[in-house]
Every structure is written in C-alpha cells, then in structure tokens.
Amino acid sequence: MILSRLTLANVRNYAALEFVPVPGLNVLIGANAQGKSNLLEAIGLLGTGKSYRTSRESEIVSAGLPAATVSGDALVKPGPIRLSCTIALGTAGTRKRYTINGAGVRYATYLGKLRVVTFVPAHLHLVTGPPALRRSLVNAALSQESAVYYAALAAYGKQLAQKNALLRGMVAADQTLLATYNERLIESGTELILARRSFVAELDARARAIHHGWVGDVEGALVLQYAANVPVEVPTRDGIASAFAARLQEYRAAELLRKTSLVGPHRDDLEFRLGGASLAAFGSQGQQRAAVLALKVAEYETLFAYGGEAPILLLDDVLSELDRGRRAAFLRGVAGVEQAFVTTTSEVDATAAATYHVAAARLERVA
Ligand code: ATP
Ligand code: MG
C-alpha cells in the first residue's frame, strides 16, 4: 500500500500541512523538536486510528485548539481510498470520528484499511520491558490484520473489566454472574489465543531466519515463544476453550481471594531466547537490539504475508540507536519496501526515493 497524500489540520505542531510522499523510502531529516515524530505519529493515526505514542489522544490536538484532523489518500489493493480521523475535545471528553471516502464509519470498520508497522526507540525495550509492551505489539498487529481479532479483543477487554468489577465488589461475588462472565471470556479469549499462537509461530520462524542472516550461527538460534497464560495441550478451538475453562475452575478460589482475574490471555507474554538462554536475563544490549530488529522485520513480513500486500513502514529515530554498519545494513533492507518513512537528525547514506528537510512544521523536499 502507498500513502499518496497526507493532510494535517491542527495536529500537534502542524497548523496545516499538505504532504505528497513518494513510493519507496521517504527520509525526513531535521533538528530536534521540528515535527518529525509528529508527522510519523500522524501517519500511524491515519492508518490505525490510534496513536502509538500516547493513550491521551487529546495531546495530539494543537495546543489551545478544539480539534485535530489527519486525512489522506492511499492506494491499496482494492483501489484508491480516502481516510480521515478527527480528534475533537469536548466537555464530555475526547471524541474521535472516522471517515472512509467521505462517509462516517465505526472504528472497527476503519481499522485495517491502511496497515502500518512502526518501529520507535521504545520498542528497543521489547525484550526487557513489561509483558504489556509485547502484548500490545501482538494486539496492534493482529487488530489491523483481522476484524475478528479486533472484535474479540474489544469484547474480551470489556468482559474482563466487568468481571474484575464483580471480583472487587464489597459483597461476595454473585456466582452465577461470575460463571456467565467466565463463559464469555472463554469465547472471546479462545479467539485471541488461537490467533496469537499462529501469529507468534509465524514471527518466530521469520525472525529466526532474519537473525541468522545477520549474525550467523555463532550466538545460537533466536527463538520467539508464545508464553500463554493458559497452558494448552490440544491447540484446536475446542481444546483451547476447555483448557481455559479448566484453568478458570482451578483458579476460582484464588481469583475470589485476590479479587482480580488471574487467568486468561490478558496475562500472556512472549519470550525471547538466544542459543537456549533467556535473552532478557542473559543477553547483551546489542544482542537484545538485534533480536528486536529481527522481530520488527518479521512483523512486517508477517503482516505482508497475511494481508497479501505490503504495509507502510514507519521508522522513527531508530537509526541513531544503531552503529554505522548496522545502520547501512538496515537501510539497505528497507530500501526495497513498497513505502517507508524514516526520520533522522543527520544525513544518512541511503538510497532514498525522496529526502525532505523538516523545520518548524514545514517540509521541504531536497532530493
Ligand atoms: P526529535 O528529533 O527531538 O525527536 P521531532 O522533530 O521528532 O524531534 P516532535 O516530537 O515531532 O519533534 O515535536 C515537535 C514539536 O511539537 C515539539 O516542540 C513539541 O513541543 C510540539 N508539540 C507536541 N504536541 C503539541 C501540541 N499538542 N500542540 C503544539 N505543539 C505540540
Ligand atoms: Mg522525534
């Protein structure tokens, strides 16, 4: 897919911007605080309807103004598409509106039309950071890829909140209601577990091959493992559902005692191993970084394979984290993608399709 035009209105430091990117590698060069990350965040927002940078989306609206809009034209497999996402501040909170080709749509309909894979410095903590970071990578990728997954995820989140409210209650939890919540959690949670199993298997195979291509055999193989909270022996839909039910039964007393949900895919994790050892516990920083890079490339490839077309790649400020050799190798790798956006504070020796200077929320194409 190709983003062919991007329009910003009152988005962070952009009062108004018209940007016509090109296919291939778009390099954005600029000093600190000029609007490079804001621009990439806006492309991500256009694609996923959410910011990958903040959960307080009111921050995206330019200071002192009531609303921000990102809109754009893209070329996707079914044809050209026009998307827009508006964030409006109101007395009752922040509201978002989405349109496709001018018509208002629900978020679930909007999501996945323009798919993006992002790589930002925060991802460098993927190996050592909290499990929530790894879950959100998987959720963001699968939600863009599959409407069924997104629906299951949204349902699961709602049901989990209801169940936790019940468990937290002052009086003894209503057992019938608890059983009902558990049944619903099994239904939506089974979808999540199923999709995550095959997605992580796909990531694992690809990341291992990519990593091997870079590092060879010396450090041993990179292994990515789905550390599911619910242990599953028979990985079919029924097998997962009954394993989930059994686990809930086993932890029933503990959940009532602890007043929170202890069982289910909201407690899933991903594990990285290198040469058999835990990368989080024993890996050097360089080894952890290489694993994250391999994972990100694998995520890109997997979404490409799943959707049958290339997602847009957003790389914010990750080059500065790499040494020269790795930077060159990485840029050679992304030079061939259908469309990528890379930000940097200094000139890069890359074969860019277009280079822009970003200064005070203005873009100027320089090559
Ligand atoms: P760096 O190289 O340091 O990462 P950058 O070019 O990526 O810089 P951005 O993160 O895009 O910089 O931020 C550019 C400017 O936008 C900052 O000065 C920031 O204060 C400003 N900014 C952020 N949010 C808003 C907002 N809601 N309204 C107005 N300005 C904002
Ligand atoms: Mg930045």
Side-chain angles (χ1 to χ4, degrees):
M1 21 187 79
I2 305 280
L3 178 68
S4 49
R5 190 186 58 89
L6 179 77
T7 307
L8 306 185
N10 305 329
V11 174
R12 293 207 186 258
N13 67 333
Y14 292 94
L17 178 82
E18 277 284 332
F19 175 32
V20 181
V22 298
L25 184 59
N26 291 264
V27 175
L28 302 154
I29 305 175
N32 294 141
Q34 301 305 307
K36 303 182 299 297
S37 297
N38 293 348
L39 188 69
L40 258 64
E41 178 190 36
I43 298 172
L45 180 66
L46 183 72
T48 65
K50 279 189 183 157
S51 167
Y52 57 79
R53 235 169 150 195
T54 177
S55 52
R56 285 187 301 271
E57 290 176 321
S58 57
E59 289 171 3
I60 295 167
V61 181
S62 298
L65 289 167
T69 297
V70 181
S71 48
D73 293 329
L75 286 167
V76 295
K77 222 170 164 189
I81 190 169
R82 174 164 292 183
L83 300 168
S84 86
C85 170
T86 297
I87 301 170
L89 310 179
T91 42
T94 307
R95 291 199 50 168
K96 286 197 286 181
R97 286 193 304 273
Y98 304 97
T99 69
I100 298 178
N101 297 328
V105 292
R106 293 183 323 133
Y107 178 61
T109 310
Y110 185 84
L111 184 63
K113 296 288 180 285
L114 182 70
R115 289 191 290 279
V116 297
V117 170
T118 53
F119 189 14
V120 299
H123 290 146
L124 293 168
H125 305 297
L126 265 167
V127 174
T128 51
L133 202 61
R134 293 179 285 278
R135 280 195 299 271
S136 75
L137 176 138
V138 172
N139 284 337
L142 283 174
S143 296
Q144 290 191 77
E145 203 281 317
S146 151
V148 172
Y149 187 90
Y150 175 71
L153 185 67
Y156 188 89
K158 244 183 238 159
Q159 292 147 3
L160 188 68
Q162 286 176 331
K163 177 179 164 185
N164 280 333
L166 182 71
L167 289 170
R168 266 198 315 272
M170 298 301 282
V171 287
D174 178 337
Q175 298 297 322
T176 322
L177 196 54
L178 190 59
T180 309
Y181 287 160
N182 279 343
E183 266 166 43
R184 290 184 193 152
L185 285 170
I186 291 167
E187 208 173 297
S188 53
T190 297
E191 283 307 322
L192 301 182
I193 296 168
L194 257 178
R196 287 177 184 178
R197 283 181 68 95
S198 45
F199 181 62
V200 177
E202 191 83 20
L203 283 181
D204 172 51
R206 291 177 189 275
R208 180 155 47 256
I210 292 157
H211 189 267
H212 185 266
W214 292 341
V215 184
D217 286 321
V218 279
E219 297 176 1
L222 174 68
V223 173
L224 215 74
Q225 218 163 36
Y226 177 33
N229 174 266
V230 174
V232 170
E233 270 163 35
V234 189
T236 59
R237 182 172 267 109
D238 286 348
I240 293 169
S242 52
F244 195 175
R247 187 93 168 165
L248 280 165
Q249 186 57 36
E250 192 186 328
Y251 280 77
R252 225 173 76 102
E255 288 191 331
L256 286 164
L257 192 72
R258 299 267 301 273
K259 293 182 180 293
T260 190
S261 299
L262 301 172
V263 175
H266 60 289
R267 298 209 163 199
D268 280 354
D269 200 354
L270 275 184
E271 261 169 34
F272 293 78
R273 309 185 75 80
L274 187 63
S278 157
L279 201 54
F282 300 108
S284 76
Q285 271 199 56
Q287 287 174 324
Q288 292 169 352
R289 193 157 287 180
V292 171
L293 283 174
L295 170 72
K296 279 286 151 183
V297 179
E299 182 192 348
Y300 179 84
E301 289 184 359
T302 305
L303 280 187
F304 194 160
Y306 274 12
E309 66 180 319
I312 290 172
L313 187 59
L314 303 175
L315 303 162
D316 190 14
D317 217 17
V318 288
L319 297 177
S320 56
E321 305 284 341
L322 303 174
D323 63 35
R324 263 190 84 182
R326 266 173 238 233
R327 193 182 305 176
F330 191 68
L331 282 169
R332 273 198 303 278
V334 299
V337 307
E338 198 166 303
Q339 192 177 40
F341 296 84
V342 177
T343 71
T344 166
T345 48
S346 54
E347 306 287 328
V348 287
D349 11 305
T351 38
T355 304
Y356 312 84
H357 278 169
V358 184
R362 280 175 193 281
L363 252 67
E364 189 195 344
R365 184 160 175 185
V366 291

